[in-house]
Amino acid sequence: MRLLLVKENPIKPFITSIFLGLAATTALTAIPTIAAAQISGRFSAILVVGNQTLPSQTVIAFSGIDLTQNLSSADINEALRRLFASGLFADVDIRAAAGRLVITVVENQTIGIVNFEGNSSFSDAELASLVTSQARRPLDRATIESDARRIAQLYTQSAQFTAQVTPLIIQLTDGRANLVFEIAEGRVNRVESVSFVGNSQFSDRRLRRVIPTSESGFLNFLFNSDNFSLERANADRAALLEFYRDRGFVDVDVRSGLSEFALDRDGFFLTYTVNEGAIFNFGNASVSTELAGVDIAEFERLIKSRPGRIYKASKVEDTIEAIEAEATRRGLPFLRAVPRVTKNEADGTIDINYVLVNGQRLYVERIDIRGNSQTLDRVIRREFEMAEGDAFNPRKMREAEAALRRLRFFSNLSVSVREGATPETAIIEVDVEDTSTGSFNFGAGFSTDSGISANFSITERNFLGRGQRFALSVDYGESSQSISFGFTEPALFDRDLAAGFDIYYRSANRSESSYQTTAIGLEPNFAFPVGEDSRANIGYKLASIEIRDTILTTSPIITEGTVVTSSISFGLSIDKRDSSFDPTSGYILRLNTEYAGLGGDTQFSRSTARVKGYFSLFDQTVVLSADLEGGSLFTLDGGNSRITDRFFLGGQNFRGFSVGGIGPRDDDGLTINDSLGGNFYAVARLDATFPLGLPEDLGIRGGVFLDAGSVWGLDGAPVGASGVIDTSAQLRASAGFALYWNTPIGPLVFNWSNPFLSVAGDETQSFSVSVRTGF
């Protein structure tokens, strides 16, 4: 990267004066000292010369000279330093004449406007937030130089190492000047390749999936993960160490990535050298202490590791966290668990003794927050489990920093600690730089379930700096239209209690049946944690649901009309997956029940349950998943369930069949053929995903799947155009091949299915495409 701090100005006399001013500034670091050495004693008055816009009294005030005192040369030197430090003057001199002090100044010009030219990677607003030079403030060359360096550093962080920043000063009249930062952005320097040396247990392909940096490829111009930066290289090394240490490689060493810059390609070739070492298993784990009054039995039960299992550094950290949390609960906030590790090379095990000791008695004096121009202090403070006066805990400070990073409210964030007013206190310093948290999106898509659709949305993740989220979304498709607005307060009363609401209007043309629906609703909700990996939610729904536009070919079981549903729901989720975005192990469980009858026109109980587990093979290149789901609907007023409340299978929730393609159906074989849904359903899904040997930057993986299940049951023995409806449970199954493609518009899924087990009347579907949603 090249930074130019001076650019030729067409007004040459003005540029000359700038250089002369700089020369005078440099010279004054020595000249005033010599001159001041000849000045001492008392003076009758101060005369200010050369000031054009500043009053003489302002200049005298900045000098700090007190005429009632005998002045020494040191006092004069200090006055000079204060005047220069004000940033108002290009040159200052102090002389003695006829019993008076003469302060001669050359004022800095005033900035008219600050502009940016040539920038496309960053907006004017983003760059303006970096610089301290502002309109109507004195033009100070040192400040301009610092501003230019900050802009250049921003481009460096975005892997544009050849960017040039040139400050241009344009002279105006009346002592003013415009400041323009001319920017030549240059090319983004990308990572051409990432390779590893010394790895034998894991392939290069697997390790590339661990690190944040990715290789430049076909679609990477849409992302930033292939931009080279020293910060990302350090993050790569940390990720590799964590990966190996969580798989038993205690002695692993990863040397910093060696980068070779390809001048002809404007890219980097990264190489990481890995010394894996041997694999260790957990051996014996124990707790010991010499502290009086501490019962180690209460802490031994908190050990997370089991003998014979592969050593995981994260298990050790979890144990330490659990022990220290229990100690705090028992009134021992300064107790610390120090793991003492004994490696048994002979049998490849590691014994761990958690020694309970008294840590330094340190209290939080205060938490200082700086740099947040948008985010409120309380939004940052609530991520800390410590407050002023609490015992200082470095682990909780690190956890707070991680929580702040997960918010994604800041472009830069650092959390540090320094000594307070006394050795027993600490000051936590939080330095942040706000980033843009709003987005405006417009997109289009296609699904075999709903056809062509368009979407417009506005979202904000940090509304008014309060950490609140809102989203306005408008969807228009061939078979459905909707508009919705949602708002969430993630920390009601500054506690881990999320509260929000959704308002929506939805209109749908049910392709599986010959009718249309319109729904208008309001759904407030609350969510809160009930365990380390579990959350509960309570919601209420008030909705008006209309069935309309039935025709002569509509089943007589489907009747038009509008009903109001007033219901309360309870939900529980337990998430034990290793990643919520790309899981390879663990499971997730969700339970939900809804009770309608708090007013309104309907009374029913509707419950669903779903659990999905993940397992990987061949170094996590093949990921297997098993998904079980089911639900039930019971009416509570003795009537029949409404079609809008029943369950439907097909489309993306049962591949190989159309939406509503299975289950109870009124089909007279002539003009009427309507899917009626069912009061009960159950489905099992087995999936396996694997690489296809294509370049990783394409983001394409293959998969195979097997779906099996059924939807059944209606109230009573309904009679339709085809006679008595068959509501029995009959097994259906399909198998097929899937193609997963991560594209800029979302993860697309292409399914080719073979419904090898079906029932007469079912509507099958051999091919489908949709945007994948995770569970």
Side-chain angles (χ1 to χ4, degrees), residues 352-595:
I352 303 177
N353 180 26
Y354 297 93
V355 183
L356 307 185
V357 300
N358 274 326
Q360 181 184 4
R361 299 185 70 84
L362 198 60
Y363 295 88
V364 177
E365 179 177 322
R366 66 177 185 270
I367 300 175
D368 289 343
I369 301 172
R370 298 188 295 259
N372 50 319
S373 58
Q374 176 182 349
T375 306
L376 301 181
D377 278 11
R378 64 179 179 84
V379 174
I380 298 174
R381 290 181 185 277
R382 71 190 182 199
E383 300 299 333
F384 287 84
E385 294 185 20
M386 299 177 290
E388 284 80 355
D390 289 349
F392 174 77
N393 188 315
R395 182 178 299 277
K396 289 184 178 180
M397 188 182 76
R398 292 194 297 270
E399 291 173 352
E401 182 177 5
L404 288 171
R405 293 189 186 280
R406 286 195 296 269
L407 293 176
R408 296 184 295 118
F409 291 170
F410 313 107
S411 58
N412 288 307
L413 167 69
S414 68
V415 180
S416 58
V417 61
R418 63 180 176 87
E419 185 176 320
T422 66
E424 291 77 29
T425 59
I427 298 174
I428 299 175
E429 296 183 332
V430 184
D431 291 285
V432 300
E433 184 176 329
D434 286 300
T435 189
S436 174
T437 54
S439 64
F440 170 87
N441 297 296
F442 178 79
F446 172 78
S447 169
T448 48
D449 291 350
S450 56
I452 298 174
S453 62
N455 169 267
F456 162 82
S457 65
I458 299 175
T459 60
E460 171 58 58
R461 295 182 287 107
N462 188 16
F463 181 59
L464 297 178
R466 301 173 182 271
Q468 299 163 337
R469 298 187 291 268
F470 78 80
L472 172 66
S473 179
V474 179
D475 293 272
Y476 188 88
E478 293 182 75
S479 59
S480 64
Q481 301 83 40
S482 69
I483 179 171
S484 63
F485 175 79
F487 177 85
T488 301
E489 166 56 71
L492 190 64
F493 310 124
D494 287 334
R495 298 184 178 275
D496 195 356
L497 171 64
F501 65 86
D502 291 288
I503 303 174
Y504 57 84
Y505 167 88
R506 300 168 185 158
S507 176
N509 182 1
R510 303 299 295 263
S511 59
E512 70 276 13
S513 304
S514 50
Y515 66 94
Q516 297 185 29
T517 61
T518 299
I520 303 173
L522 167 66
E523 297 184 10
N525 57 82
F526 298 88
F528 50 89
V530 293
E532 184 178 354
D533 301 302
S534 57
R535 288 184 74 84
N537 62 78
I538 300 175
Y540 173 76
K541 178 171 74 174
L542 180 63
S544 170
I545 305 173
E546 178 189 11
I547 297 176
R548 57 182 173 82
D549 296 343
T550 58
I551 55 180
L552 294 176
T553 58
T554 301
S555 168
I557 297 177
I558 303 173
T559 58
E560 289 191 356
T562 301
V563 299
V564 175
T565 298
S566 175
S567 66
I568 188 171
S569 61
F570 303 90
L572 174 68
S573 65
I574 302 174
D575 193 346
K576 295 286 188 178
R577 296 174 296 177
D578 61 344
S579 168
S580 58
F581 301 102
D582 189 17
T584 58
S585 64
Y587 68 90
I588 180 172
L589 169 67
R590 288 181 182 170
L591 306 172
N592 192 77
T593 183
E594 178 184 5
Y595 170 77

